[in-house]
Amino acid sequence: MDQAWQDFEVSEDLRAEFEDRLEQYWEELFGLLLKLYGDRYDFFYHLEQILLTAAKAWAERPENLRAIDRRRIHDPDWFQSQNVVGGALYVDLFSENLGKLADSIEYFKELGLTYLHLMPLFAVRPGDNDGGYAISDYRNVDPRLGTIEDLQVLSDQLHEAGITLVLDFVFNHTSEDHHWAKAAQSGDAEFQDFYFIHPDRTIPDQYQRTLREIFPTVRRGSFTWHDGMQAWVWTTFNNFQWDLNYGNPAVFRAMLEEMFFIAGTGVDILRLDAVAFIWKQMGTSCENLPEAHLLIQAFNRLARIATPGVLFKSEAIVHPDDVIKYVSPEECQISYNPTLMALLWESLATREVRLLTRSLSHRHRLPDHTAWVNYLRCHDDIGWTFDDADAAAIGINAFDHRQFLNRFYTGQHPGSFARGIPFQENVQTGDMRIAGTLASLAGLEHAIETGDLVEQELSVNRMLLLQGIALSIGGIPLLYLGEEWGMLNDYDFVTDPAKAGDTRWVHRPKMRWEFLQDLEETLDADDRSRAGSIRRRIFRSLQKMISARKSLHALGGTDMELFPTDSSHVLGFSRTYDSSRLLVVANFSEREQSIAGNRLRTAGLGRFFEDVLSGERISTSHDVVLQPYEFFWLSRV
Ligand code: GLC
Ligand code: GLC
């Protein structure tokens, strides 16, 4: 290490900062790596290489990022602030390229975003690239989107505007044309060890017995035959996405280098993609294994040491018991909240909040110094990942219920307002997931088709209701851009051969900038601007909610308590931070509901409240009435 520091030519101070942190985390890091790789004859060689990699990352870290690191070390819970509001987008679909994206910073500010997740933007294989998740080079931006320099410039511009940058760390697999995979294809044994490559079906068949199929319409089973190598390759997702073998410490170190490189472009939060799948063990499901956690914790320790401002966000779209295991300050500080997401949709379909309440009652609380990322839609499908026992506890048969939800959200259930389409339908098990935009799933597409104005109104209220929960329940709200305009499904993806096979593209539409003009237009007498007025209403309402969120001290932190509303259609919870308190009540049905004033008085510790969003005053001396899909954010007055 001494030699390395000399070679890096860094100041004594910089070196001391690193060494302090190394000392702080050394024992834990060593323990983690020992558990993962301690039985290797060359363990100490790899350990040394890993430490050198970390030292180099700190030595080369741009000074402006080091300044952010230092700030965050002293403010580790910064992401729990009510000021943090996220958005996610595809660079090309939103604005063509990275350079042009900077022009939208004003737009992000107007909407109130302070966190921006750019969907994968690194170099990818030609043709289908799974929306950027088949990466062929982590050191280069997809040339259609720009260059690494463009990314760095954008990250500086975002930071100046008070917006943090989130990028994916796609570390479970590389594309088949990544140079590691190419070396493996050309017979290089060192790189064949980076993946799971088997000459015949013996080993694959043994693994396969206990594996779930993730993309059953792409291929049956998790292995793909490679003609060139005359071998089977492990591919959990698409055939061209080769799973990495983390049993090999060289893979860990190689990916660590890529992680530090990505962090060095100015990333604040790394979204750890497909965390559930990163460790394989014969005879298991190869999902959520204990070693997967050790691996992420080891990456976390190394980030704490070399890039301490960077946070991890977990993408585990799995059973709620497993989702939560990735969330801790030592592993991923923040995590998608897929259970809440799925159950909000469940509540819209059933008009009941029983399953949602049941689940929230024992699943919402997280460890200190962590937070949920609450979202309604993202670039992926919706899977009904709620717990069967939670459902059984309130008399719901989980299997039948999932069938119902699938029929409902594909519009096949009589009276359904939703216009989703199936994703990865498994004809054998009857299983499927749902694709579709927020607006189409909430009924806007159907309402516009049928010209039903009442339905249009209801669908807008459904969207705002869900947003009202995501923005207040505790954690980071994350919009999937397009939601703010009520963007509908885009069925044209089928005309693009690189997209036609993946129905998730239905909810990845191109941004329509003409909507911004609609926003400025005033209502005129003829109906020309009716669609415009719907979009305007969605945008303005969301914007208003975001700004209200930021003004509410009670929405900081992550404390959330449910309270009884005596109605199976009305969700009620309180948020408390320091001495501030906010009550949220939300009606999930299209009928008026009322709740007893006393319930609000005892939960909110006050007699009079104001709905922060409408300014309406509410007295608890009588029943409080909620209109269809109405919700209140109640502050004591
Ligand atoms: C993640 C991404 C998803 C992708 C998969 C494989 O789950 O969110 O879009 O298909 O990983 O990379
Ligand atoms: C599976 C995976 C999840 C991924 C999704 C993509 O549900 O568990 O990680 O996002 O597939 O469709």
Side-chain angles (χ1 to χ4, degrees), residues 389-415:
D390 280 345
I394 53 167
I396 292 176
N397 174 300
F399 180 83
D400 294 347
H401 201 50
R402 289 193 180 96
Q403 302 277 321
F404 157 72
L405 291 168
N406 284 332
R407 281 198 314 277
F408 189 91
Y409 280 106
T410 51
Q412 294 169 54
H413 188 81

Side-chain angles (χ1 to χ4, degrees), residues 73-200:
I73 288 176
H74 298 291
D75 182 19
D77 292 342
W78 63 272
F79 55 88
Q80 291 186 347
S81 158
Q82 73 274 19
N83 287 317
V84 179
V85 176
L89 59 84
Y90 287 90
V91 175
D92 56 342
L93 298 175
F94 189 82
S95 85
E96 241 172 281
N97 59 42
L98 286 170
K100 287 236 177 79
L101 192 59
D103 299 344
S104 298
I105 289 181
E106 275 316 305
Y107 176 80
F108 303 139
K109 281 165 74 174
E110 193 186 344
L111 191 55
L113 304 185
T114 64
Y115 157 131
L116 191 66
H117 174 209
L118 302 181
M119 296 302 295
L121 42 73
F122 293 102
V124 285
R125 73 192 286 277
D128 185 359
N129 57 47
D130 191 20
Y133 285 98
I135 297 180
S136 40
D137 183 357
Y138 298 81
R139 307 280 174 127
N140 274 299
V141 168
D142 179 339
R144 289 166 291 195
L145 305 179
T147 63
I148 288 291
E149 291 69 38
D150 294 336
L151 178 59
Q152 279 160 335
V153 169
L154 179 68
S155 129
D156 288 344
Q157 289 167 318
L158 289 172
H159 284 155
E160 256 162 58
I163 300 173
T164 53
L165 175 63
V166 186
L167 289 186
D168 281 85
F169 179 40
V170 184
F171 70 132
N172 174 68
H173 46 264
T174 71
S175 167
E176 64 185 356
D177 69 347
H178 187 280
H179 73 91
W180 302 337
K182 282 200 198 140
Q185 285 161 50
S186 69
D188 186 329
E190 185 187 337
F191 287 99
Q192 289 186 338
D193 249 9
F194 268 46
Y195 301 94
F196 298 91
I197 298 173
H198 303 283
D200 56 46

Side-chain angles (χ1 to χ4, degrees), residues 480-517:
Y480 177 54
L481 287 195
E483 276 171 10
E484 75 280 25
W485 299 109
M487 292 277 270
L488 301 180
N489 285 348
D490 176 4
Y491 299 93
D492 278 350
F493 72 96
V494 293
T495 60
D496 181 342
K499 296 180 175 172
D502 189 330
T503 56
R504 288 174 297 175
W505 286 103
V506 84
H507 55 244
R508 300 171 181 174
K510 213 169 155 52
M511 170 68 179
R512 304 255 304 270
W513 288 102
E514 66 271 23
F515 291 171
L516 267 179
Q517 279 149 24

Side-chain angles (χ1 to χ4, degrees), residues 543-602:
Q543 193 181 32
K544 189 167 165 199
M545 271 194 259
I546 291 172
S547 115
R549 168 185 157 97
K550 293 184 179 177
S551 72
L552 291 166
H553 193 66
L555 294 183
T558 59
D559 268 359
M560 188 281 296
E561 293 292 337
L562 294 165
F563 67 85
T565 63
D566 306 320
S567 160
S568 62
H569 310 290
V570 180
L571 178 69
F573 59 85
S574 64
R575 293 294 319 285
T576 315
Y577 192 59
D578 296 335
S579 56
S580 306
R581 183 186 285 258
L582 187 84
L583 292 189
V584 176
V585 280
N587 175 8
F588 276 77
S589 85
E590 65 265 74
R591 286 175 213 271
E592 223 178 73
Q593 303 293 331
S594 62
I595 66 172
N598 261 334
R599 285 296 191 193
L600 296 181
R601 194 178 50 81
T602 48

Side-chain angles (χ1 to χ4, degrees), residues 212 214-215 237 274 277 315 317-318 380-381 423 433 504:
R212 180 165 76 105
I214 305 302
F215 281 0
F237 296 94
F277 303 93
E315 191 248 347
I317 314 301
V318 288
D380 279 332
D381 45 286
F423 175 66
R433 279 115 72 185
R504 288 174 297 175

